[in-house]
Amino acid sequence: MKTMRVWMVGLAFVTASTLVATGQQTQVRAGTAGSQNQQALRQFSGSPIDVDYSAANLRSVLKQLAQIGGINIVIDPSVPSASTVDLTLTQVPWDQVMDVVLRSSQLTYQVEGPVVRVLTRKALTDELNAEADQKKAGEAAPDLVAFQRRLNYASAEDVKKLLETAGLVSSRGTVDFDMRANMLIVKDVQRSVDEIQRLVTELDKPEPQVEIEARIVQTNTSTAKALGVQWGFNGRVSPDLGNTTGLAFPNRGTLGGRVGDQGPADPRSTSLERVGTAVNMPAANPTSGVGLSLGAVNGAFSLDVALTALENDGKLKIIATPRVTTQNNKQAEVAQGFEIPYQVVANNTVTVQFKDAALKLIVTPQITAADTVIMRIRLENGVPQQLRPGDPPAIRTDRAETEVQVPDGQTTVISGILQTTEESTNQRTPGISKVPLLGWLFKSNSNTTRNQELLIFITPRIIR
């Protein structure tokens, strides 16, 4: 038994010398071979032994028989650990005893060099099927091919993200990039590489640029009309003038307006006798006027009338033309103006911050296949203004934000603001101003109209 090592082959065991002579390193035989093969293979040469197993553990029996035969045995986890063996044999070769135990327990074996592995038939079948499937898949899987391209216009990093998001890379493929050389590196099956090459060729093209010109037109017009009147009188009774009241008291007196000076003063009159304007409602900052003054030779009585008028028209036009050029689908910004400093007090600390007061144009163009440009536009026009002396400057801001589609080279209006201010002022003397015909001598009128209009024009031009 010790001079010859026995191996299990098929449903029986053969000597190790036979295995070496035939060059077989691994042999598997099922326990359900045909009857003809069973007669040829059942040549048991092991030493006869007597066995009597009653509810003996299957794994323990296999180990004991392996020790008797002097073989290396490995029991697969698929062999049930709780299985038992009931067997009584007398003077039966030990290898035949093992063959009977394996067949009665629905087990088979596999010879791998000097080791015999015992496992269930199902486990062996699953292994063989898995190996066949793996071999078939390995033979069917195509080889991976490499693809490198240095991009001229597109970003390799952006293209890599697009390829992965679009699902053009197979499960076996990889995509990488070199930022320094802007190179895309792809390794995948040929079919995927062909699709990626076509897409990269379309993406790596120069994009047309767009020149956006904005025209900001701001007009201010004003109209003012005013008509005013001033008139006054002054009458005196005084011994200096040769006229008296004939009474001891009052012997002299003065009657006149109390608003302002009437005109050239009589050197014989006192300061209280020089006031003579009764109605003082002139036009503000008049541009024309006419006056009439009447008086006695001795200065006892004087009368003056002044009519003032104003009418003016004013126009102001401001044009700003910011212009910027950018690539397709790339945001561009241009700004011109001031940064207004202001103080902020927080936690007993004074800091200086700045706020923009500028003309700013932010636009993102998108060129369509119809030679039109879709633009997302944000335009701001901030103008600093001093509201009151000593106050920090305020910023008047005109803003427009929109999205428009304009044909190449054409102009569109994206915003228009019209502001109209009308102001009317009437001054009059209570009561007398309502007298027909005579009332116009006791009132003045002023009318002012201001119009402010803001228009924003946008013109895109495609630069191919």
Side-chain angles (χ1 to χ4, degrees):
M1 179 178 64
K2 293 182 180 181
T3 59
M4 182 177 296
R5 175 167 294 180
V6 181
W7 304 90
M8 291 180 290
V9 179
L11 298 178
F13 292 86
V14 297
T15 61
S17 59
T18 305
L19 292 176
V20 174
T22 58
Q24 297 178 352
Q25 296 298 323
T26 301
Q27 298 185 17
V28 180
R29 296 292 183 269
T32 58
S35 58
Q36 184 177 358
N37 293 333
Q38 292 177 2
Q39 289 292 337
L41 294 176
R42 289 183 181 179
Q43 302 295 329
F44 302 107
S45 57
S47 300
I49 59 174
D50 297 336
V51 294
D52 187 5
Y53 297 126
S54 178
N57 184 268
L58 175 61
R59 289 175 172 263
S60 300
V61 171
L62 294 175
K63 292 178 180 180
Q64 184 180 12
L65 293 175
Q67 292 178 355
I68 294 174
I71 62 174
N72 300 318
I73 189 172
V74 175
I75 301 176
D76 191 79
S78 61
V79 177
S81 59
S83 296
T84 57
V85 176
D86 292 288
L87 185 63
T88 301
L89 296 174
T90 303
Q91 291 299 302
V92 177
W94 70 268
D95 48 356
Q96 186 177 2
V97 175
M98 179 169 284
D99 180 69
V100 172
V101 172
L102 293 176
R103 286 191 292 110
S104 61
S105 300
Q106 301 296 317
L107 299 178
T108 185
Y109 55 88
Q110 187 178 28
V111 179
E112 298 177 354
V115 178
V116 177
R117 187 166 69 101
V118 178
L119 68 166
T120 63
R121 296 173 181 174
K122 182 179 183 305
L124 180 60
T125 302
D126 293 342
E127 285 185 6
L128 295 176
N129 292 335
E131 290 178 0
D133 293 341
Q134 184 176 3
K135 182 179 180 181
K136 183 178 179 181
E139 293 175 352
D143 295 333
L144 299 181
V145 295
F147 162 63
Q148 302 91 20
R149 176 174 293 183
R150 185 189 296 268
L151 304 182
N152 297 318
Y153 306 101
S155 170
E157 183 178 5
D158 295 339
V159 174
K160 173 183 179 295
K161 295 179 181 178
L162 177 61
L163 295 177
E164 294 175 344
T165 304
L168 297 179
V169 184
S170 68
S171 59
R172 299 176 60 198
T174 59
V175 180
D176 207 343
F177 69 95
D178 179 44
M179 184 178 298
R180 180 183 58 85
N182 196 34
M183 178 178 288
L184 187 69
I185 304 170
V186 180
K187 189 174 184 180
D188 207 337
V189 296
Q190 186 64 51
R191 185 180 63 180
S192 297
V193 168
D194 293 341
E195 294 180 0
I196 292 174
Q197 284 180 329
R198 287 192 293 268
L199 179 59
V200 171
T201 301
E202 292 296 325
L203 294 176
D204 192 30
K205 291 182 178 180
E207 286 289 333
Q209 299 185 116
V210 182
E211 179 189 62
I212 298 100
E213 178 182 352
R215 293 176 62 87
I216 303 172
V217 181
Q218 183 175 355
T219 60
N220 294 327
T221 60
S222 62
T223 302
K225 295 181 180 181
L227 179 63
V229 62
Q230 291 174 287
W231 67 270
F233 66 94
N234 192 340
R236 292 187 296 157
V237 177
S238 172
D240 297 338
L241 301 177
N243 61 347
T244 61
T245 62
L247 301 175
F249 179 86
N251 183 260
R252 62 185 296 163
T254 301
L255 178 64
R258 308 296 296 181
V259 179
D261 291 340
Q262 183 181 11
D266 188 343
R268 296 170 295 179
S269 63
T270 64
S271 59
L272 295 177
E273 295 173 339
R274 295 191 186 104
V275 290
T277 302
V279 177
N280 188 27
M281 291 180 287
N285 300 319
T287 59
S288 60
V290 62
L292 176 64
S293 179
L294 303 173
V297 175
N298 61 358
F301 183 80
S302 62
L303 175 68
D304 69 279
V305 178
L307 296 177
T308 55
L310 169 68
E311 182 173 356
N312 63 31
D313 293 325
K315 294 183 179 180
L316 174 65
K317 187 175 183 180
I318 300 175
I319 300 179
T321 309
R323 182 180 300 174
V324 65
T325 301
T326 182
Q327 287 189 349
N328 187 27
N329 289 314
K330 297 294 184 180
Q331 177 177 295
E333 178 178 349
V334 60
Q336 180 182 13
F338 304 92
E339 287 189 347
I340 307 300
Y342 63 96
Q343 293 183 347
V344 177
V345 180
N347 298 326
N348 296 325
T349 302
V350 179
T351 59
V352 178
Q353 298 184 4
F354 295 87
K355 188 172 183 179
D356 289 339
L359 174 62
K360 183 182 298 184
L361 173 64
I362 303 174
V363 60
T364 303
Q366 177 184 348
I367 302 174
T368 67
D371 277 346
T372 61
V373 182
I374 300 175
M375 294 177 291
R376 291 177 288 276
I377 304 170
R378 178 181 175 88
L379 192 144
E380 294 183 1
N381 186 24
V383 179
Q385 292 183 338
Q386 191 79 27
L387 299 180
R388 292 180 300 180
D391 290 346
I395 299 176
R396 181 180 63 83
T397 302
D398 300 318
R399 180 183 296 112
E401 185 171 356
T402 184
E403 183 171 343
V404 294
Q405 181 173 350
V406 185
D408 179 22
Q410 297 190 16
T411 302
T412 184
V413 181
I414 66 169
S415 177
I417 301 174
L418 176 62
Q419 181 178 357
T420 301
T421 304
E422 295 183 354
E423 183 178 351
S424 178
T425 303
N426 295 320
Q427 295 178 337
R428 55 184 176 268
T429 301
I432 303 178
S433 61
K434 297 181 180 180
V435 177
L437 298 180
L438 188 62
W440 68 274
L441 293 175
F442 297 89
K443 60 185 177 181
S444 67
N445 298 320
S446 176
N447 296 312
T448 304
T449 302
R450 300 183 185 90
N451 293 322
Q452 181 178 354
E453 187 173 10
L454 175 67
L455 297 175
I456 301 176
F457 301 87
I458 292 292
T459 304
R461 298 182 181 89
I462 302 176
I463 304 174
R464 302 195 180 277

